[in-house]
């Protein structure tokens, strides 16, 4: 039984929920312990845009009162979480980490956050991210960079926690939250999880409602859960998922009992190894951890089969046409007229206001993607770029479908390297985009995929393995992740320096 705030904040979702239910500690004690960690680390890590300690305490008091009254508790009862600042939260500022929405306080709750509050979770605050979720390093936020709690031995260089869900991954790794929401458009849950030694799952497109989530690329965006282990991710994802009539892309399907069906026994399962994921220039240690993952899958009883995904080589190029095109359309609503920032120079007309507002409100990376998207959608280039990219997307989906005729899940590295230093790639967009090379294909195909920590590189930084599953087979992904997690025995955590 924990007897200090430090030991409480080392607990995960399941342990907190079960401990509160058993009366080992109160939900208020848990909230207070995590609130203290959030406050202590904020100036050093910048993981939260706004902290909401009062929200965490309010939810905790409700859980404690329900337990005292003998009422049934929800699956997330007593668990305070971080909420990525892309989810609308009623009465709490929601910015998408952009100056464009600074000060915007929604009068409504996103479906995902509402489901979590109904499950008994409390909110520690709104987590920092890349502006409008556009980025791979969490360096595009208007509110400043998120800094990873991990450091290279003997170096004070600040490392990226990944992007865009970098605030989420940093908060979990630093014990500021036991779990957090994330969104994944091209890898923005999985890559940050890999960089910080945490677990993150992107479910099948449509499993979690997008209603109340600030849009980046509507055919790709999908909410998911991030935590410290596979079981905690499953618990949280179960609470988040479900049909929502307010979201036209939401799947009208019952949410399976993923947590109750968790099993790391892979006997009778086939794990596919995509030949095309062995890219030129991949660090030897990434390849080595992949080989180790293959050995772990075999040890869990799986048969390992090589498969081919021939159009994978075109996935990154297709993604960086489709996603910016959708972003260009989605972000057209931020014009200074209805809500958000308005920059109206003296004597300016309507067009001048549009230009001044968007120039002041959007950061460089957002502007870059809007320009790319507008270009590929323009009359002279639509067929040459956007139409071709959509055809490639279909071919990529067909590649996956063919592979899944032979195997149950795929196993790949999550990212081509461990975390890099902030500022290292900021002036090289192409190098930055290449961080998503292993995660983008599953996003284009709308498949469930997760990252599980597998080990450390030579500098002592986390490396992750990615599991990709068939559409709607989150159970297969979670089970394979559990098998890898059990054999990796990853217990490393960042040495506290903040």
């Amino acid at each position: 039984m924990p007897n200090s705030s430090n030991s409480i904040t080392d607990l995960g979702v399941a342990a907190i929920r079960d401990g509160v239910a058993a009366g080992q500690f109160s939900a208020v004690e848990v909230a207070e312990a995590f609130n203290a960690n959030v406050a202590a680390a904020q100036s050093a890590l910048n993981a939260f845009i706004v902290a909401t300690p009062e929200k965490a305490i309010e939810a905790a008091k409700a859980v404690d009162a329900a337990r005292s009254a003998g009422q049934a508790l929800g699956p997330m009862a007593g668990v305070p979480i971080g909420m990525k600042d892309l989810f609308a939260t009623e009465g709490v500022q929601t910015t998408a980490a952009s100056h464009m929405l600074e000060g915007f306080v929604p009068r409504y709750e996103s479906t995902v956050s509402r489901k979590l509050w109904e499950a008994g979770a409390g909110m520690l605050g709104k987590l920092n991210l890349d502006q409008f979720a556009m980025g791979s390093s969490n360096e595009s936020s208007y509110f400043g960079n998120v800094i990873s709690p991990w450091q290279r031995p003997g170096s004070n260089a600040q490392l990226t926690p990944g992007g865009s869900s970098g605030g989420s991954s940093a908060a979990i790794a630093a014990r500021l939250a036991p779990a957090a929401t994330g969104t994944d458009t091209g890898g923005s849950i999985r890559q940050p999880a890999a960089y910080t030694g945490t677990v993150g799952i992107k479910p099948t497109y449509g499993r979690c409602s997008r209603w109340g989530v600030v849009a980046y690329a509507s055919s790709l965006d999908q909410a998911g859960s991030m935590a410290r282990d596979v079981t905690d991710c499953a618990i949280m994802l179960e609470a988040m998922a479900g049909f929502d009539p307010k979201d036209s892309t939401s799947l009208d399907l019952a949410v399976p009992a993923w947590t109750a069906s968790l099993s790391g026994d892979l006997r009778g399962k086939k794990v596919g190894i995509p030949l095309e994921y062995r890219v030129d220039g991949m660090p030897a240690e990434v390849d080595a951890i992949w080989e180790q993952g293959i050995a772990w899958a075999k040890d869990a009883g799986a048969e390992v089969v090589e498969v081919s995904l021939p159009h994978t080589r075109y996935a990154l190029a297709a993604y960086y046409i489709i996603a910016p095109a959708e972003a260009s359309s989605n972000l057209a609503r931020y014009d200074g007229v209805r809500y958000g920032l308005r920059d109206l120079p003296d004597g300016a007309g309507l067009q001048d206001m549009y230009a001044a507002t968007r120039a002041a409100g959007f950061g460089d990376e957002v502007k870059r993607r809007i320009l790319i998207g507008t270009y590929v959608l323009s009359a002279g280039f639509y067929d040459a770029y956007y139409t071709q990219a959509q055809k490639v997307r279909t071919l990529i989906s067909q590649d996956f479908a063919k592979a899944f005729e032979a195997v149950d899940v795929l196993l790949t590295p999550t990212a081509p390297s461990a975390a890099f230093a902030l500022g290292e790639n900021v002036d090289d967009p192409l190098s930055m985009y290449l961080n998503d090379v292993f995660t983008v294909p599953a996003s284009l195909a709308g498949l469930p995929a997760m990252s599980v920590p597998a080990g450390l590189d030579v500098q002592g930084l986390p490396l992750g393995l990615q599991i990709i599953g068939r559409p709607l087979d989150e159970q297969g992904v979670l089970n394979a992740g559990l098998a890898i997690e059990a054999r990796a025995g990853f217990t490393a955590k960042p040495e506290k320096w903040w």
Side-chain angles (χ1 to χ4, degrees):
M1 173 177 167
N3 56 15
S4 71
S5 61
N6 284 340
S7 53
I8 285 178
T9 55
D10 275 327
L11 300 178
V13 172
I16 291 170
R17 178 197 63 187
D18 295 346
V20 168
Q24 295 176 356
F25 40 81
S26 69
V28 168
E29 286 179 276
V30 175
E32 288 175 341
F34 279 104
N35 280 341
N37 278 11
V38 170
Q42 183 55 22
S43 62
L45 302 182
N46 197 34
F48 286 83
I49 291 175
V50 60
T52 56
E54 71 289 347
K55 292 283 186 183
I57 295 295
E58 179 185 347
K61 286 180 177 178
V63 168
D64 286 340
R67 181 185 176 275
S68 296
Q71 298 172 7
L73 300 181
M76 295 283 291
V79 182
I81 63 170
M83 184 62 60
K84 185 175 180 179
D85 198 27
L86 211 61
F87 295 83
T89 44
E90 185 177 4
V92 179
Q93 177 180 259
T94 300
T95 69
S98 176
H99 183 38
M100 185 66 80
L101 285 174
E102 185 178 16
F104 171 60
V105 179
R107 298 172 63 183
Y108 57 93
E109 193 78 38
S110 77
T111 298
V112 163
S113 56
R114 176 183 56 78
K115 282 177 171 286
L116 288 165
W117 311 149
E118 289 174 353
M123 183 167 66
L124 293 162
K126 303 299 290 293
L127 290 158
N128 206 346
L129 64 145
D130 277 302
Q131 189 172 158
F132 283 102
M134 299 181 194
S136 300
S137 63
N138 231 130
E139 291 177 274
S140 70
S141 171
Y142 176 73
F143 300 94
N145 302 338
V146 178
I147 299 161
S148 174
W150 289 87
Q151 285 192 328
R152 295 168 179 154
S155 171
N156 291 325
Q158 295 177 341
L159 302 181
T160 175
S164 67
S165 304
S168 301
S169 65
I172 296 165
R175 275 49 181 176
L176 312 187
T181 56
T183 61
D184 193 307
T185 305
S188 291
I189 285 174
R190 292 161 284 159
Q191 183 245 33
Y195 280 1
T196 56
T198 56
V199 180
I201 181 166
K202 177 196 83 72
T204 305
Y205 179 80
R207 272 289 193 196
C208 292
S209 172
R210 292 187 300 109
W211 194 84
V213 183
V214 179
Y216 163 20
S218 299
S219 75
L220 294 158
D221 297 344
Q222 187 58 198
S225 58
M226 303 177 72
R228 285 190 222 122
D229 64 40
V230 172
T231 301
D232 287 355
C233 270
I235 293 169
M236 188 172 177
L237 187 63
E238 258 185 75
M240 294 168 59
F243 175 62
D244 181 7
K246 296 193 292 291
D247 175 6
S248 63
T249 63
S250 179
L251 298 172
D252 191 0
L253 298 169
V255 178
W258 293 312
T259 310
S261 302
L262 280 174
S263 170
D265 184 353
L266 301 185
R267 286 176 292 182
K269 301 295 183 182
K270 293 183 179 180
V271 173
I273 308 301
L275 296 170
E276 290 78 10
Y277 279 53
R278 297 189 185 279
V279 297
D280 293 338
M282 187 165 70
E285 55 200 347
V286 174
D287 189 62
I289 207 76
W290 192 11
E291 290 298 328
Q292 182 62 70
I294 293 170
W296 288 331
K298 291 177 179 177
D299 184 66
E303 178 186 347
V304 172
V305 180
E306 286 193 340
V307 298
S308 179
L309 300 171
H311 295 96
T312 291
R313 71 186 69 182
Y314 308 116
L316 205 62
Y319 174 83
Y320 278 103
I321 291 172
I322 295 168
E326 294 186 18
S328 173
S329 177
N330 276 325
L331 272 62
R333 70 193 69 177
Y334 303 107
D335 53 13
V337 175
R338 288 155 291 187
Y339 55 87
L341 179 70
R342 174 180 293 178
D343 192 329
L344 185 60
D346 291 341
L350 186 62
Q351 293 294 332
D352 295 324
M353 185 191 74
Y354 288 163
T357 297
R358 292 167 70 81
F362 293 140
D364 290 344
E365 183 60 30
V366 174
K367 291 174 185 174
R368 179 183 292 117
R369 298 195 191 196
I370 289 173
L371 288 170
I372 292 170
T374 303
Y375 179 81
V376 301
L377 289 176
S378 60
F381 301 99
Y382 185 94
D383 287 334
Y385 291 102
Y386 186 72
T387 301
Q388 290 298 104
Q390 291 289 16
K391 289 178 180 177
V392 169
R393 184 179 190 174
T394 299
L395 293 172
I396 289 168
S397 295
Q398 291 173 349
D399 285 349
F400 277 114
K402 185 175 181 180
F404 284 126
E405 291 175 1
V407 300
D408 296 287
V409 295
L410 302 173
L411 178 67
T412 79
T414 307
S417 70
F420 49 89
L422 294 172
E424 205 167 277
N425 296 326
V426 72
D427 295 322
D428 187 353
L430 184 57
S431 293
M432 196 73 82
Y433 297 166
L434 286 170
N435 288 295
D436 301 328
V437 66
F438 296 138
T439 55
V440 156
S443 293
L444 286 170
L447 301 174
M450 78 182 305
S451 180
V452 177
L456 302 174
D457 74 352
V458 292
Q459 299 180 97
L461 300 179
L463 295 171
L465 288 173
Q466 177 182 218
I467 300 105
I468 304 170
R470 294 186 178 100
L472 303 176
D473 188 23
E474 285 81 8
Q475 191 70 65
V477 171
L478 289 163
N479 287 353
L482 190 67
I484 296 295
E485 179 181 78
R487 285 156 181 81
F490 188 90
T491 57
K493 63 180 183 178
E495 183 177 338
K496 188 171 182 180
W497 54 266
W498 56 93

